[in-house]
């Protein structure tokens, strides 16, 4: 994984890692749903896009399939 910028939230990185560890029942990974779960679990200044990029990067390193469909409004 790349070096993270200094403004990254370590708690978000840990939470993404935990969610990916438990992802067997979620495959393929619903990226937007994971962002919603992180938002309900943690308070962070990171944007949804920054969290999505982190999820995608960490999931791709693990070779996990992902779904990028946005939920219906």
């Amino acid at each position: 994984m790349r070096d993270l910028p200094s403004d990254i939230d370590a708690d978000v990185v840990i939470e993404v890692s935990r969610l990916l560890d438990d992802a067997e029942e979620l495959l393929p990974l619903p990226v937007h749903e994971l962002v919603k779960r992180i938002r309900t679990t943690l308070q962070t200044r990171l944007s949804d896009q920054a969290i999505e990029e982190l999820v995608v990067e960490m999931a791709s390193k693990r070779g996990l399939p992902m779904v990028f469909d946005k939920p219906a409004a």
Side-chain angles (χ1 to χ4, degrees):
M1 192 156 119
R2 66 178 165 84
D3 290 333
L4 297 173
S6 60
D7 64 341
I8 198 73
D9 188 332
D11 290 334
V12 174
V13 173
I14 292 167
E15 184 66 12
V16 169
S17 182
R18 188 188 67 75
L19 288 171
L20 295 180
D21 287 344
D22 298 337
E24 289 181 10
E25 71 247 12
L26 293 176
L27 294 178
L29 292 174
V31 174
H32 298 288
E33 179 64 30
L34 291 178
V35 172
K36 280 177 45 179
R37 286 185 185 195
I38 291 166
R39 285 269 177 229
T40 60
T41 306
L42 299 172
Q43 291 184 349
T44 180
R45 294 184 309 188
L46 293 177
S47 67
D48 285 353
Q49 182 177 350
I51 296 171
E52 286 176 14
E53 289 173 3
L54 190 58
V55 168
V56 169
E57 185 172 351
M58 291 176 71
S60 65
K61 291 287 184 185
R62 296 174 185 222
L64 298 173
M66 295 170 264
V67 174
F68 296 94
D69 294 339
K70 289 194 176 195

